[in-house]
């Protein structure tokens, strides 16, 4: 029922957005796949890193949370006394290849003097903190500097000149206060000036597009000078990402900057998504072990695939959705600072795998 509703919704979006029409047909395929979506950097025909299974690995986790100076409480499940530990012990194993072992010292040497920026919402924060802790575990005595703000934060490994930056912007496009209220501008990215000059950019945006009611951070949407009280969220997301794609086309020099899109991180608030109608992620201590995640791939993936298929500059999709859907056990639940949290991820935990995939994409030829 839910899947058919989503398909009907996007069919309506296609009527209003001719450019999205082709995505409707693609969605029928994507909603019935058993692995990752068909777009993005899967390693060509030799290996799709995003199709595989979770396996037990006694050498995990990759770092000690108590020794990482960059940890945030909202992800620090062990600090808040999560009693079970098995969620720390799973490694992602692609079906057709092996991921390289992460080496933080090698990472720092290869990117000596470089700037790496994560741009997006709290899922970008989750991944940024994870990578920082993974690297720090390899060079625990290295000199570091940590500047944490609401907008732009930075972790620098001073002995190597490597800077890991985080630019917080939930929508990628601009938000501004006007007389009419808080306006989300679907066709404006003035904040993009802050992303210039980076060696690696990792973008992410989705979760805040779905917020309604009291948690909705805007009052109106704007496009081409016209204000809208609301809009189908898939259409709005498509318009916003299309504006981001235009920014990439105009401002990124592929010879100087590598661009990644983090992909859609799933939530686990509806137990029916994995055939447990009465449950959220609360109390979940094991991954979903089936071959096909019952809820299917989120329709937001179709929007991402469509936008990336039309972008002119190379952008690598870290297609994390399917592998993350299986990890209903990996959220903070009540072991953090967000009440029942089935959206963010414990650290150490799943985002470490996202960074292993990033590492493989950066260094595997």
């Amino acid at each position: 029922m839910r899947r058919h509703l989503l398909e009907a919704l996007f069919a309506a979006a296609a009527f209003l957005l001719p450019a999205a029409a082709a995505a409707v047909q693609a969605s029928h395929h994507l909603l019935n796949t058993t692995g990752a979506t068909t777009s993005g950097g899967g390693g060509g025909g030799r290996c799709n890193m995003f199709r595989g299974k979770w396996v037990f690995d006694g050498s995990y986790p990759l770092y000690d949370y108590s020794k990482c100076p960059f940890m945030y409480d909202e992800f620090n499940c062990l600090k808040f006394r999560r009693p079970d530990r098995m969620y720390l012990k799973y490694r992602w194993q692609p079906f057709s290849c092996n991921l390289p072992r992460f080496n933080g010292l090698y990472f720092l040497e290869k990117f000596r003097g470089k700037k790496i920026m994560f741009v997006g919402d709290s899922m970008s924060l989750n991944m940024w903190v994870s990578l920082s802790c993974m690297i720090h575990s390899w060079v625990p005595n290295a000199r570091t500097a940590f500047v944490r703000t609401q907008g732009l934060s930075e972790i620098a490994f001073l002995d190597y000149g490597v800077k890991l930056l985080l630019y917080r912007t939930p929508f990628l496009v601009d938000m501004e206060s006007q007389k009419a209220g808080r306006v989300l501008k679907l066709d404006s990215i003035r904040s993009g000036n802050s992303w210039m000059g980076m060696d690696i950019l990792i973008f992410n945006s989705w979760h805040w597009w779905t917020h309604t009611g009291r948690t909705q951070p805007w009052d109106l949407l704007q496009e081409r000078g016209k204000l809208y009280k609301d809009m189908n969220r898939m259409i709005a997301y498509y318009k916003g990402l299309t504006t981001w794609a235009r920014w990439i086309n105009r401002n990124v020099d592929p010879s100087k900057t590598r661009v990644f899109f983090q992909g859609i991180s799933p939530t686990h608030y509806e137990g029916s998504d994995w055939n447990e109608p009465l449950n959220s992620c609360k109390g979940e201590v094991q991954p979903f072990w089936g071959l096909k995640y019952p809820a299917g791939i989120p329709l937001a993936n179709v929007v991402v695939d469509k936008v990336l298929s039309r972008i002119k500059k190379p952008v690598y999709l870290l297609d994390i959705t399917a592998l993350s859907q299986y990890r209903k056990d990996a959220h903070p639940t009540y072991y953090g600072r967000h009440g029942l949290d089935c959206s963010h991820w414990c650290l150490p935990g799943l985002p470490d795998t996202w960074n292993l995939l990033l590492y493989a994409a950066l260094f595997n030829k």
Side-chain angles (χ1 to χ4, degrees):
M1 182 71 176
R2 176 173 174 268
R3 187 182 74 187
H4 295 315
L5 178 62
L6 287 172
E7 290 176 342
L9 245 171
F10 207 70
F15 176 77
L16 296 172
L17 269 178
V24 176
Q25 184 176 1
S27 70
H28 289 278
H29 169 69
L30 291 172
L31 287 168
N32 288 284
T33 57
T34 58
T37 57
T38 54
S39 70
R46 294 172 297 171
C47 170
N48 185 336
M49 297 187 297
F50 310 110
R51 291 193 55 127
K53 60 182 179 180
W54 290 99
V55 299
F56 176 83
D57 190 324
S59 69
Y60 273 47
L62 298 178
Y63 52 89
D64 183 339
Y65 81 95
S66 66
K67 295 179 180 178
C68 179
F70 316 121
M71 185 63 69
Y72 278 51
D73 278 352
E74 49 260 60
F75 313 134
N76 201 345
C77 300
L78 294 180
K79 176 181 177 180
F80 289 93
R81 296 180 172 83
R82 177 168 173 168
D84 61 299
R85 300 295 178 97
M86 277 298 293
Y87 74 94
L88 296 166
K89 297 293 185 180
Y90 294 111
R91 173 175 56 80
W92 180 247
Q93 177 59 58
F95 289 134
S96 54
C97 57
N98 294 314
L99 294 178
R101 182 170 178 262
F102 183 82
N103 186 317
L105 183 59
Y106 181 75
F107 186 99
L108 291 172
E109 290 288 0
K110 293 293 288 186
F111 290 111
R112 185 180 287 273
K114 304 296 185 181
K115 292 185 287 187
I116 300 166
M117 178 180 278
F118 291 83
V119 182
D121 58 22
S122 54
M123 295 302 111
S124 295
L125 170 64
N126 226 168
M127 191 173 177
W128 175 71
V129 174
S130 164
L131 180 60
S132 303
C133 290
M134 289 169 68
I135 294 173
H136 182 267
S137 69
W138 280 80
V139 288
N141 298 317
R143 294 181 305 124
T144 60
F146 184 17
V147 179
R148 175 177 175 174
T149 69
Q150 287 294 325
L152 180 63
S153 299
E154 177 183 309
I155 295 170
F157 290 86
L158 301 175
D159 299 317
Y160 302 89
V162 174
K163 293 183 178 180
L164 304 181
L165 301 107
L166 173 72
Y167 189 96
R168 296 291 294 273
T169 172
F171 305 102
L172 300 181
V173 293
D174 294 329
M175 177 97 71
E176 74 173 29
S177 295
Q178 300 180 7
K179 288 184 179 180
R182 302 164 300 172
V183 177
L184 181 60
K185 305 181 73 173
L186 298 177
D187 54 359
S188 173
I189 299 189
R190 290 195 307 273
S191 57
N193 292 333
S194 300
W195 314 338
M196 305 289 284
M198 298 296 136
D199 298 284
I200 298 173
L201 287 166
I202 305 106
F203 291 96
N204 160 67
S205 180
W206 167 238
H207 281 209
W208 280 92
W209 292 90
T210 66
H211 284 221
T212 59
R214 293 181 179 180
T215 63
Q216 179 178 297
W218 75 80
D219 301 304
L220 298 164
L221 301 106
Q222 180 177 309
E223 185 187 27
R224 298 179 181 177
K226 185 175 180 180
L227 294 173
Y228 300 86
K229 183 64 178 176
D230 205 353
M231 185 182 295
N232 177 282
R233 299 308 172 85
M234 287 296 171
I235 297 177
Y237 184 52
Y238 181 89
K239 288 177 179 286
L241 276 194
T242 299
T243 299
W244 165 80
R246 284 197 295 266
W247 185 93
I248 296 292
N249 285 335
R250 292 170 181 170
N251 295 284
V252 169
D253 180 349
S255 68
K256 298 178 180 178
T257 304
R258 297 182 66 176
V259 180
F260 294 82
F261 194 86
Q262 187 176 330
I264 303 299
S265 175
T267 62
H268 289 93
Y269 286 105
E270 300 291 336
S272 57
D273 285 352
W274 58 93
N275 291 336
E276 294 180 15
L278 300 179
N279 294 334
S280 66
C281 71
K282 178 185 176 183
E284 295 290 345
V285 296
Q286 289 189 347
F288 174 79
W289 293 119
L291 294 177
K292 179 181 178 181
Y293 192 71
I297 295 296
L299 210 52
N301 280 50
V302 179
V303 176
V304 171
D305 286 348
K306 184 62 180 177
V307 171
L308 293 186
S309 73
R310 307 182 83 192
I311 204 165
K312 297 177 182 178
K313 300 292 178 69
V315 176
Y316 189 107
L317 175 61
L318 289 172
D319 199 354
I320 61 172
T321 305
L323 65 92
S324 301
Q325 285 180 317
Y326 300 146
R327 296 306 308 275
K328 58 186 173 66
D329 61 316
H331 296 284
T333 64
Y334 290 107
Y335 302 102
R337 287 195 166 180
H338 287 294
L340 176 60
D341 187 352
C342 299
S343 177
H344 302 96
W345 307 91
C346 293
L347 293 179
L350 176 65
D352 305 334
T353 295
W354 300 349
N355 282 310
L356 286 174
L357 294 164
L358 173 66
Y359 184 85
L362 286 169
F363 297 124
N364 271 12
K365 301 297 184 182

